[in-house]
Amino acid sequence: MNIFKFTAEFDSEESCRSHFKEERDKIGVICQKCSNTTHYWIKSQWSYECKSCRSRTSLR
């Protein structure tokens, strides 16, 4: 994807973040600290929080 296609598809930072969250949800999130696979989504922080150890993982 080049920069022109990127800006045509994502007209705002919000739409770009939403796209990356959808893709991350498809793949799944594994906690780096305890290897748990169940997480909460914290929208105000744009990150996942592990239900077990409460460690946070960003979209990146």
Side-chain angles (χ1 to χ4, degrees):
M1 177 180 287
N2 64 29
I3 190 71
F4 299 111
K5 288 182 182 177
F6 184 83
T7 54
E9 188 170 337
F10 305 115
D11 59 346
S12 68
E13 185 174 341
E14 181 76 27
S15 66
C16 184
R17 284 182 174 184
S18 296
H19 171 74
F20 283 113
K21 181 185 181 313
E22 289 171 13
E23 293 300 313
R24 186 72 187 257
D25 289 343
K26 289 178 192 175
I27 297 168
V29 180
I30 300 172
C31 180
Q32 296 288 328
K33 196 171 184 181
C34 71
S35 300
N36 191 8
T37 58
T38 55
H39 292 78
Y40 297 108
W41 173 247
I42 303 174
K43 187 172 183 172
S44 63
Q45 299 293 316
W46 283 92
S47 63
Y48 297 93
E49 185 175 290
C50 177
K51 287 184 178 182
S52 179
C53 71
R54 302 181 55 91
S55 176
R56 290 195 180 162
T57 304
S58 71
L59 281 176
R60 291 184 267 155

